[in-house]
Amino acid sequence: MLPMRKVPAAMLLLVATALPMETDTPSTSCLLRAKNEYYRTTLVSVYPGFGEAFEDRIAHFDLLKMGRASPGNIAYELTRSSTDEKQYRFFERWESLEFAEKWNATQQQVLQKDTTLN
């Protein structure tokens, strides 16, 4: 299991209205700008009973560590819903849009290497 950190309340408040909690898609993402910083929240829904497997894949590729170490990253967190065990949310905070986009491309390349998903 991944160590989950508490996300600062101000960050939650900022992104809480950006995405609905219920979605029919497996992953939904939103990027917004505030005070010269960029915030992204991504809602990921996994199949029932696959939460631990999802966390294992994130840990296997060190995505949290990689995200936090990426140039321009201010914060990179993963939380699990306390009301729906199938839902996870990534909270990201970046110095610029360019850094956020570069990380997104890097993350996609890493996940494409995951042969268990293909």
Side-chain angles (χ1 to χ4, degrees):
M1 294 290 260
L2 294 171
M4 302 286 179
R5 295 187 193 183
K6 289 194 175 205
V7 177
M11 197 168 176
L12 283 172
L13 180 61
L14 180 64
V15 297
T17 57
L19 283 177
M21 281 305 290
E22 296 296 326
T23 180
D24 292 333
T25 59
S27 175
T28 308
S29 185
C30 178
L31 180 68
L32 57 101
R33 181 176 180 217
K35 294 186 178 182
N36 297 323
E37 294 176 354
Y38 286 81
Y39 295 81
R40 181 188 337 239
T41 181
T42 303
L43 175 65
V44 178
S45 296
V46 298
Y47 288 110
F50 280 82
E52 191 170 326
F54 172 74
E55 293 177 23
D56 287 346
R57 299 321 294 158
I58 298 298
H60 174 76
F61 287 105
D62 278 333
L63 281 183
L64 297 178
K65 185 177 180 181
M66 286 176 57
R68 292 174 184 145
S70 290
N73 180 264
I74 299 169
Y76 192 81
E77 305 298 336
L78 174 63
T79 64
R80 188 173 193 173
S81 172
S82 60
T83 58
D84 186 346
E85 67 178 22
K86 302 182 314 277
Q87 290 189 342
Y88 291 82
R89 231 180 244 274
F90 287 93
F91 292 94
E92 305 171 34
R93 189 169 155 207
W94 299 94
E95 293 175 6
S96 73
L97 180 59
E98 292 77 22
F99 286 129
E101 289 177 340
K102 189 171 184 176
W103 164 248
N104 193 49
T106 300
Q107 178 180 307
Q108 293 303 318
Q109 289 174 352
V110 169
L111 292 175
Q112 287 175 356
K113 294 177 185 176
D114 190 351
T115 56
T116 64
L117 299 176
N118 299 325

